[in-house]
Amino acid sequence: MLEKIADKWTIMILTVICPKPSRFNEIKRRLDGITHKSLADALKRLERHGLVTRTVLPTAPIGVEYAITPLGHSLKQPFEALCSWALKNGGELEAACTRYDQRKH
């Protein structure tokens, strides 16, 4: 189950659409580095798992808006705790990697 929700893009996508529903291109603009295909695949996966909804808008051209579901909202607290932990311990993780890499050479 963890592999369905704990990847890099899932966390970032849910963070973007948590405050308000967003269109595909708006999400893409806010996620620096994600490709069109990666975002489309991730949104389909999130919709399949019940974490986001997809609504076709009656605009010309047709627009699509993604919104977080109550199930998706339930991940907010664990994701915030994970982000807090990463910010607090990022330097220590980098230092450990450096020490390890130096021993290997």
Side-chain angles (χ1 to χ4, degrees):
M1 187 54 56
L2 196 54
E3 67 194 29
K4 296 175 187 334
I5 60 166
D7 66 272
K8 171 185 175 181
W9 293 125
T10 295
I11 294 169
M12 294 176 75
I13 291 166
L14 292 176
T15 300
V16 167
I17 64 174
C18 190
K20 66 179 181 67
S22 302
R23 289 182 172 212
F24 184 93
N25 285 331
E26 181 182 352
I27 298 168
K28 189 171 184 313
R29 275 193 301 276
R30 297 206 36 216
L31 297 177
D32 188 38
I34 194 167
T35 65
H36 184 94
K37 182 180 180 346
S38 293
L39 180 55
D41 291 348
L43 287 167
K44 285 177 191 172
R45 189 177 62 255
L46 291 170
E47 183 182 10
R48 180 173 183 250
H49 292 121
L51 300 174
V52 303
T53 58
R54 179 182 184 273
T55 304
V56 177
L57 304 172
T59 58
I62 293 175
V64 176
E65 187 175 73
Y66 295 89
I68 196 165
T69 65
L71 183 60
H73 269 291
S74 72
L75 288 169
K76 184 178 181 188
Q77 185 178 12
F79 281 176
E80 285 175 348
L82 180 60
C83 288
S84 177
W85 182 90
L87 288 172
K88 180 181 175 188
N89 295 291
E92 192 172 333
L93 289 173
E94 287 295 322
C97 288
T98 300
R99 286 191 303 272
Y100 178 85
D101 291 346
Q102 288 172 347
R103 283 196 323 253
K104 297 293 284 182
H105 291 58

